[in-house]
Amino acid sequence: MASTLPKLTAVVHEATVKHTATVIFMHGFGDSGAGWAPVGEQLSEYVPHVKFIFPNAPALPITANGGMLSPAWYDIKSLSTIQHEQDEQGLLRSRQQVMELIREEVDRNNIPANRIVLGGFSQGCVLSLFAALTSEYRFAGVTALSGYLPLHTKIMTMVSDANRKTPIFWGHGDSDQVVKYKYGEQSVEFLKENKYPVRFHTYSRMGHSACPQELRDLLSFFQEVIPEELPVMAKA
């Protein structure tokens, strides 16, 4: 069934050789796809077969900011604890919009779901985890940067089995004061307790941002889970 929600706009960095894999990466609160697009351009040099899609979040009224409109994937009630009230309806709405982008890659561009990596930073990390764990598509991997697992008291009742074995790259700075490092630790522990294959990377003295080592690790992850497909040579 087609979505009744508006299609997300996005900054797209096309593959520079034959397109055989796609990374869909969601930005954090208050940002836009353009904020992460330079990372796609940088990494594309090493994974030229990968198309990078950086969607733009819509402007939403944010409770924690007194109702001010800001680019966001869901409303933020509070970040005082990982157990705060969460905007489930906002997550479901954004999930539906992201799934439309995925379906377009699969159905229109003929990229199998197992050649798609879903990821994000901060709020985008939260959304990518939620979308991947509840999706019927089996993805190549998930990249979770500086975020947390949403709806942890009920998410295990919402997950599908499709991505139970999908590798999850998790990166978090131990000096993050926005999404605290302990939230990442608690989320990773929860996922591991539920048998998800999470690789937790800690970045010393990194705040709520990315660093060169994290991007190098991210590149290695992409090269592992969506390697360039070599052409099959015809037999003589």
Side-chain angles (χ1 to χ4, degrees):
M1 181 182 296
S3 172
T4 57
L5 294 170
K7 181 181 176 180
L8 293 172
T9 62
V11 178
V12 178
H13 186 80
E14 298 286 355
T16 56
V17 297
K18 183 181 178 183
H19 173 209
T20 63
T22 297
V23 171
I24 301 175
F25 191 93
M26 275 72 74
H27 63 77
F29 170 71
D31 201 359
S32 69
W36 279 86
V39 173
E41 295 177 17
Q42 179 183 347
L43 298 185
S44 180
E45 180 180 350
Y46 304 97
V47 283
H49 60 291
V50 175
K51 173 184 179 180
F52 288 88
I53 301 176
F54 299 97
N56 296 305
L60 301 177
I62 303 301
T63 300
N65 280 357
M68 184 182 300
L69 287 173
S70 298
W73 298 111
Y74 54 88
D75 187 17
I76 300 174
K77 312 289 187 180
S78 165
L79 268 180
S80 60
T81 169
I82 198 171
Q83 298 176 354
H84 64 75
E85 179 186 357
Q86 296 179 38
D87 180 16
E88 181 176 347
Q89 291 307 309
L91 279 165
L92 288 168
R93 180 185 61 247
S94 289
R95 176 195 179 278
Q96 185 177 344
Q97 291 176 297
V98 170
M99 292 307 298
E100 285 297 311
L101 295 178
I102 294 165
R103 276 189 282 271
E104 184 171 293
E105 286 300 292
V106 173
D107 296 339
R108 186 176 301 176
N109 296 323
N110 298 314
I111 302 299
N114 65 6
R115 295 285 293 170
I116 294 175
V117 172
L118 202 59
F121 173 81
S122 193
Q123 260 208 354
C125 164
V126 175
L127 175 58
S128 67
L129 287 165
F130 181 63
L133 269 55
T134 59
S135 176
E136 294 298 331
Y137 287 115
R138 181 170 63 87
F139 299 113
V142 179
T143 58
L145 308 186
S146 303
Y148 59 90
L149 183 71
L151 309 177
H152 68 284
T153 59
K154 67 181 293 187
I155 194 167
M156 294 312 298
T157 68
M158 305 170 75
V159 301
S160 78
D161 289 333
N163 290 292
R164 286 280 188 174
K165 297 182 179 180
T166 299
I168 301 172
F169 174 101
W170 195 300
H172 215 120
D174 63 7
S175 297
D176 193 332
Q177 295 301 312
V178 178
V179 178
K180 295 180 181 179
Y181 179 71
K182 68 178 181 179
Y183 297 169
E185 283 187 309
Q186 292 167 0
S187 297
V188 168
E189 186 61 32
F190 180 88
L191 288 169
K192 287 183 174 180
E193 287 174 357
N194 286 280
K195 310 303 182 186
Y196 283 91
V198 189
R199 309 170 190 182
F200 189 40
H201 298 256
T202 298
Y203 298 96
S204 178
R205 297 186 296 277
M206 186 177 84
H208 195 60
S209 61
C211 67
Q213 184 59 54
E214 185 177 43
L215 297 183
R216 286 191 289 270
D217 293 341
L218 200 60
L219 173 61
S220 295
F221 183 74
F222 292 154
Q223 290 171 326
E224 176 192 344
V225 300
I226 45 173
E228 189 165 7
E229 296 179 329
L230 298 177
V232 178
M233 301 299 293
K235 294 183 179 180

